Amino acid sequence: MTEAEDRKPRSDEARTTYDPEITSEFALPEGLAVPRGAGESETTSEFTVPQGLQAPQPPSAEQEGSAFSLPRTYSAKDALAAFTPATGVPAVSLIKDAPWQDRMRTMLRMPVTERPAPEPVQRAEEEGPAVPRVLDLTLRIGELLLAGGEGAEDVEAAMFAVCRSYGLDRCEPNVTFTLLSISHQPSLVDDPVTASRTVRRRGTDYTRLAAVFHLVDDLTDPETHVSLEEAYRRLAEIRRNRHPYPGWALTLASGLLAGAASVLVGGDLIVFVAAALGAMLGDRLAWLCAGRGLPEFYQFTVAAMPPAAIGVAFSLTHVGVNASAVVTGGLFALLPGRALVAGVQDGLTGFYITASARLLEVMYFFVGIVVGVLVVLYFGVKVGGTLDPDAALGGISKRPLVQIAASMVLSLTFAVLLQQERSTVLAVTLNGGVAWSVYGAMHYAGGISPVASTAVAAGLVGLFGQLLSRFRFASALPYTTAAIGPLLPGSATYFGLLNMAQNEVDKGLVSLAKAASLAMAIAIGVNLGSEISRLTLRVGSAGKRRAAKRTRGF
């Protein structure tokens, strides 16, 4: 048989199973039939979904969702099992009778995912107020609090309380030294709404500060229904209200404060009058500079010159008057105790940017005072003036009753300068007397270091101030700031400047370092006393709160 005959098919069956036209080695084996589409080309892409696995297709008309929306193939039945820690999920309890400051501060210090469910909205509007208007009201309230000297944490707590009172529970306030912002996101799939406001002017008016606190307290009260329009009206009235004390009363209070401070460091009646006149003259010069638009740095510089000039004049005339006490008393009215306490408080509560800005402001004010006093003392020493730093401390421990009375007068006049309500002046005056009594008993009678004595006395001031604020449902600043007036380091500041003017730089730096230590002791003591009152009091406490974990970077 030839080769051609051998390749010839022998039957019809062989003809059907063996096609001489198919010569590729990829030919399908016999018995394997593949269904073919009707006229469609086969899909050969490697990204083709395998047959039998059909992914759900979204409707063609649906718009692209937000970045926060769930994936389209997400299914609850396919989700992983929820994980519960071995110790259980901690329960958060907020006491309803606690002040709104404690409740809001507790929630702000918690992560967003662990905050409790929002409280029932107490507003009567059917659809609720517009979100931008609520945020605007919140920023305006925060602006008044921050401009009045309130701490950044308390300002954030007030802003958070206002938002939650109108049903905006998913809010995040943010406070810095000059900028306030707040963001509200209704849900994870909605875009957030953010608003901000800049604080350009700062003024000391604790009466206005107390009125704002009363407004926030009414907004957070579940039994008091304050509409958004009513809140705007009350806020406008607070802005329009005049200061409770006229300008001449403030000037007189400045003089009495300086006179009382001079008595605290050993001055007599003549020293009291001279220090009062110097402080009043410096206050009027500062008002004149403010009217001309000069910055506060130059206002402090000009205000520090008259008391120093009067002290140098007494030393030149040799009339037997304690000139150092005159200069020291004049410095008490200028030391920025309010800004110092607020700055240290912000740093202790974790607001480091705001704390740095406040402390930098305090440093500039202090440098202005140093420049004004040093200029006068330098020329006084050049013309033959002799000032004895140790003379101002003579006889302080021998007249405790006079010192306590002077400390109470100093606290009273400081309260007037801070524009406090008349109902709070008596309480802060007694608080200042207690502070100086504790300081004198520890330092002069017990021989304890002045820094430790100042810290303990300032701690009692903070404790009593927090108790009074809880009793009055108001801010603690009006009850603490003026009470620390007798503890301010006026004498240490003056001694440092005097030594530097007499070319004793080493002694001057030691005295200025002591003044800085006393100032920090005051601020830390006030803050610690306030925190102790929150930790120990069960009535009006928001329960335990966790601190931020910042140890070694964790």
Side-chain angles (χ1 to χ4, degrees):
M1 181 182 295
T2 63
E3 183 177 358
E5 293 177 349
D6 187 54
R7 289 197 302 265
K8 183 178 181 181
R10 294 186 177 89
S11 62
D12 295 339
E13 181 180 357
R15 187 180 298 112
T16 58
T17 59
Y18 187 81
D19 191 353
E21 295 181 359
I22 300 177
T23 59
S24 173
E25 59 181 352
F26 296 101
L28 296 174
E30 181 181 357
L32 182 60
V34 180
R36 298 180 179 273
E40 295 183 1
S41 60
E42 295 184 6
T43 303
T44 58
S45 174
E46 58 182 351
F47 299 101
T48 304
V49 179
Q51 183 178 1
L53 181 59
Q54 300 295 331
Q57 300 296 329
S60 58
E62 184 179 356
Q63 299 294 331
E64 184 179 357
S66 171
F68 298 97
S69 61
L70 296 175
R72 301 186 185 279
T73 58
Y74 174 81
S75 177
K77 65 180 181 179
D78 298 330
L80 298 176
F83 172 74
T84 302
T87 56
V89 179
V92 180
S93 176
L94 296 179
I95 301 176
K96 298 297 182 181
D97 296 335
W100 61 266
Q101 298 97 315
D102 289 349
R103 290 187 285 115
M104 297 301 107
R105 187 183 293 109
T106 302
M107 295 189 65
L108 284 173
R109 293 182 179 182
M110 296 168 50
V112 179
T113 56
E114 298 182 9
R115 290 176 183 172
E119 300 175 357
V121 181
Q122 303 294 337
R123 302 295 161 252
E125 289 86 347
E126 295 181 357
E127 299 180 355
V131 173
R133 296 198 65 196
V134 175
L135 298 184
D136 179 71
L137 175 67
T138 303
L139 290 174
R140 291 178 183 272
I141 290 177
E143 178 190 9
L144 288 180
L145 293 176
L146 187 63
E150 193 64 66
E153 186 180 31
D154 293 328
V155 175
E156 283 195 359
M159 296 172 63
F160 194 66
V162 173
C163 287
R164 286 180 63 88
S165 64
Y166 286 103
L168 307 184
D169 59 292
R170 302 178 64 90
C171 286
E172 285 297 328
N174 186 23
V175 176
T176 58
F177 185 61
T178 57
L179 181 65
L180 300 96
S181 63
I182 187 167
S183 178
H184 169 68
Q185 187 175 7
S187 64
L188 292 177
V189 298
D190 294 327
D191 296 331
V193 180
T194 304
S196 62
R197 194 172 183 87
T198 304
V199 179
R200 303 189 183 277
R201 296 189 60 185
R202 300 177 183 272
T204 304
D205 190 345
Y206 281 3
T207 300
R208 179 179 296 174
L209 187 69
V212 176
F213 261 78
H214 285 305
L215 174 59
V216 178
D217 187 63
D218 291 340
L219 290 175
T220 56
D221 189 0
E223 299 180 358
T224 304
H225 302 280
V226 181
S227 63
L228 191 64
E229 299 298 333
E230 177 68 15
Y232 266 109
R233 186 190 63 81
R234 291 179 57 178
L235 188 63
E237 290 180 355
I238 293 173
R239 286 180 173 274
R240 287 195 300 264
N241 284 344
R242 291 186 175 183
H243 300 304
Y245 306 103
W248 63 267
L250 298 180
T251 302
L252 181 62
S254 178
L256 292 177
L257 189 153
S262 66
V263 174
L264 281 180
V265 293
D268 52 9
L269 182 59
I270 299 178
V271 172
F272 178 90
V273 176
L277 291 177
M280 288 189 290
L281 181 59
D283 181 77
R284 287 292 92 189
L285 291 176
W287 277 97
L288 180 62
C289 294
R292 298 286 181 174
L294 290 178
E296 288 183 299
F297 176 86
Y298 302 104
Q299 297 177 27
F300 275 82
T301 301
V302 172
M305 289 183 175
I310 293 178
V312 171
F314 277 130
S315 66
L316 291 175
T317 55
H318 304 285
V319 294
V321 177
N322 193 343
S324 297
V326 176
V327 183
T328 302
L331 292 180
F332 265 84
L334 300 176
L335 294 178
R338 174 183 60 86
L340 174 66
V341 172
V344 175
Q345 180 181 0
D346 289 340
L348 294 176
T349 53
F351 294 84
Y352 301 114
I353 296 178
T354 307
S356 301
R358 288 186 188 272
L359 294 178
L360 185 62
E361 181 187 38
V362 172
M363 187 191 72
Y364 271 100
F365 292 162
F366 188 77
V367 170
I369 297 172
V370 168
V371 171
V373 175
L374 273 181
V375 169
V376 177
L377 292 181
Y378 179 78
F379 284 103
V381 172
K382 288 297 183 180
V383 297
T386 56
L387 297 173
D388 186 9
D390 298 328
L393 299 177
I396 293 180
S397 60
K398 298 179 181 179
R399 47 179 190 176
L401 296 179
V402 176
Q403 303 298 314
I404 294 175
S407 66
M408 296 177 67
V409 173
L410 193 152
S411 299
L412 187 149
T413 53
F414 203 174
V416 174
L417 289 176
L418 293 174
Q419 302 282 359
Q420 292 189 197
E421 291 181 306
R422 293 180 174 87
S423 59
T424 64
V425 172
L426 179 60
V428 74
T429 300
L430 296 176
N431 200 7
V434 171
W436 181 260
S437 300
V438 173
Y439 172 80
M442 294 183 63
H443 179 53
Y444 297 115
I448 303 176
S449 66
V451 176
S453 303
T454 301
V456 174
L460 290 178
V461 168
L463 177 61
F464 293 155
Q466 192 65 228
L467 293 175
L468 291 172
S469 67
R470 288 170 179 268
F471 179 74
R472 297 286 186 90
F473 293 97
S475 172
L477 285 181
Y479 301 99
T480 58
T481 305
I484 65 172
L487 304 176
L488 292 176
S491 58
T493 303
Y494 166 68
F495 295 157
L497 300 181
L498 180 59
N499 288 323
M500 294 182 69
Q502 294 176 348
N503 292 327
E504 297 179 356
V505 181
D506 295 338
K507 293 183 179 180
L509 292 178
V510 170
S511 297
L512 291 179
K514 179 182 177 181
S517 301
L518 292 174
M520 293 296 293
I522 292 172
I524 294 175
V526 170
N527 181 264
L528 183 60
S530 301
E531 293 295 331
I532 289 176
S533 67
R534 296 192 186 103
L535 293 176
T536 56
L537 289 178
R538 299 303 304 170
V539 178
S541 176
K544 295 182 180 180
R545 53 179 171 81
R546 289 174 292 177
K549 296 180 180 179
R550 295 191 178 93
T551 304
R552 301 193 179 204
F554 294 101

